[in-house]
Amino acid sequence: MRIEAYSQIQQVYGTSKVNKTAKTQKSGSVSDSLKISSIGKDIQIAKQAVKEAPDVREDVTAPIKSAIKNGTYDVSGEDFADKLLAKLSESL
C-alpha cells in the first residue's frame, strides 16, 4: 500500500484522525443464563436411553442361538432366497 494514496484519501474525506469509540460501561448485575426447551430435554433423555440400551437383544437372539447349538434351527431355502433377492433389489 502506498502512503501517498492514503494521504490523498484523507484529503478527499477531510479527516486527519480516526475517532475512537467510547467504551461501554459494564454493570455488575449482568449475567448469562441458559434455558433448554422441553423438546431439548426430551431429546437428551432419549439420547441417554439409547446410549444405555444394549446393542444385542438377548431375548430375541437367545432362542435362535440355542436352536443352532442343538442343531434344530432350520432355515427354508425359499425364505433365504426371497430375502436375498429383496436385499439385492434394495441396493440397485
Side-chain angles (χ1 to χ4, degrees):
M1 176 175 170
R2 293 185 350 229
I3 296 174
E4 302 90 37
Y6 181 71
S7 298
Q8 290 173 353
I9 292 172
Q10 279 183 331
Q11 289 173 359
V12 169
Y13 287 107
T15 61
S16 60
K17 223 180 198 186
V18 176
N19 294 333
K20 293 184 178 181
T21 58
K23 291 185 177 182
T24 57
Q25 293 180 348
K26 293 183 179 180
S27 63
S29 64
V30 176
S31 65
D32 293 333
S33 64
L34 173 68
K35 294 182 181 179
I36 299 176
S37 67
S38 63
I39 294 173
K41 290 178 185 177
D42 292 342
I43 290 172
Q44 290 299 322
I45 291 170
K47 282 184 178 181
Q48 187 65 29
V50 168
K51 186 178 179 180
E52 293 173 357
D55 290 337
V56 177
R57 291 181 37 201
E58 290 295 328
D59 60 326
V60 175
T61 58
I64 297 171
K65 283 182 181 181
S66 66
I68 292 172
K69 189 175 183 177
N70 297 336
T72 58
Y73 186 72
D74 186 32
V75 178
S76 167
E78 290 178 9
D79 291 341
F80 178 76
D82 289 340
K83 289 187 181 187
L84 184 65
L85 289 173
K87 283 287 185 182
L88 180 64
S89 65
E90 284 178 6
S91 64
L92 294 178

